Amino acid sequence: MTEEVELRQEKPDWKQRLRRIARWAGIGVASLWLLGALVLISYRWIDPPTTAVHVERRLQAWMHNKPYHERYEYVPLRQISPNLQHAVIAAEDARFYQHHGFDWHAMELAADHDMKGGRLRGGSTLDQQLVKNLLLGTERSIVRKAVEASYVPVAEAFLGKQRILELYLNEVEWGRGVYGAEAACRYYYGTSARNLTRDQAARLAAILPDPRRRRPQYMNRYSGIIETRMSQMGW
């Protein structure tokens, strides 16, 4: 009898080990999430020196042994033409000032469009895109979308609409190695973001869905649609 008890005591308790592993894994995941949240909150006062997308593109260039030149200059929102601010909102997130991080109506329309076999389209708000650009990169997965969604309320609560718009316009990818409004305006038009015309702004906004392949000069039809949306929104 004594020998049986000793054998049982010597046998590893796998359930206990699994619980311990799961507990530490949970602590690790929670710590990483909290670190990301603190970084996001800090951007209320600090202009990001780099982003997840910047790092991702640099690594991709290095892995494929391709040259990489980054164009990036952060400027305050007041130095970005209202034409560009309005064009981007009209093109990417028409209900930006009405929703609280998620545009459920836009997501429903996007899902319905996809189910009917149309071209894949997104329903992501500027908040969601900003979180992706700053912290997560461009990889498409359910896990990334879930993490992205968990950070959006943090952005809404601590950054506010104007700071979110400023960060987005400065961090969004506008071409290969081109990040932010100031760099995009100088790269495509040889002018500063504060001097952008309505037509130029609409053309820049038109390339946002696929900035690594689209070019403003070819966006005649879509830029016209964006300008019409701007007029309908009172801009």
Side-chain angles (χ1 to χ4, degrees), residues 83-198:
N83 288 324
L84 187 57
Q85 298 180 38
H86 297 159
V88 168
I89 292 172
E92 294 291 303
D93 190 0
R95 289 169 48 82
F96 175 67
Y97 288 113
Q98 283 75 50
H99 64 64
H100 299 288
F102 301 98
D103 189 345
W104 303 108
H105 179 64
M107 287 190 281
E108 183 180 348
L109 289 176
D112 182 62
H113 183 81
D114 298 341
M115 288 178 66
K116 290 179 179 178
R119 182 176 61 85
L120 184 66
R121 56 183 293 182
S124 295
T125 61
L126 295 189
D127 305 59
Q128 292 171 275
Q129 293 181 51
L130 177 64
V131 167
K132 178 193 72 174
N133 291 339
L134 289 175
L135 303 177
L136 305 174
T138 63
E139 179 188 2
R140 294 188 177 186
S141 70
I142 295 176
V143 173
R144 195 219 78 197
K145 292 295 290 185
V147 176
E148 173 188 297
S150 72
Y151 281 126
V152 167
V154 178
E156 276 282 318
F158 289 94
L159 300 180
K161 290 296 187 183
Q162 291 306 100
R163 182 61 173 170
I164 288 172
L165 181 60
E166 178 180 312
L167 287 166
Y168 179 89
L169 290 172
N170 275 285
E171 306 303 335
V172 70
E173 189 174 30
W174 244 308
R176 294 183 181 274
V178 182
Y179 303 98
E182 185 69 16
C185 292
R186 294 194 180 281
Y187 179 69
Y188 291 113
Y189 296 118
T191 188
S192 65
R194 68 165 74 237
N195 296 323
L196 211 61
T197 67
R198 184 181 177 87

Side-chain angles (χ1 to χ4, degrees), residues 35 80 84 137 160 212:
L35 177 61
I80 300 176
L84 187 57
R212 290 166 64 82

Side-chain angles (χ1 to χ4, degrees), residues 17-87:
R17 288 187 179 182
L18 286 174
R19 284 196 294 269
R20 188 180 298 117
I21 292 171
R23 183 170 64 252
W24 282 108
I27 292 172
V29 170
S31 298
L32 286 174
W33 186 93
L34 181 60
L35 177 61
L38 291 174
V39 169
L40 189 58
I41 292 169
S42 74
Y43 290 152
R44 177 170 182 170
W45 304 279
I46 301 171
D47 299 335
T50 189
T51 71
V53 173
H54 292 201
V55 174
E56 178 184 338
R57 297 307 188 202
R58 187 176 293 276
L59 285 173
Q60 288 174 345
W62 177 76
M63 290 172 63
H64 294 92
N65 197 27
K66 292 183 177 179
Y68 178 81
H69 176 64
E70 184 173 294
R71 298 172 177 85
Y72 173 57
E73 181 181 350
Y74 196 101
V75 296
L77 189 62
R78 65 179 179 275
Q79 294 183 22
I80 300 176
S81 168
N83 288 324
L84 187 57
Q85 298 180 38
H86 297 159

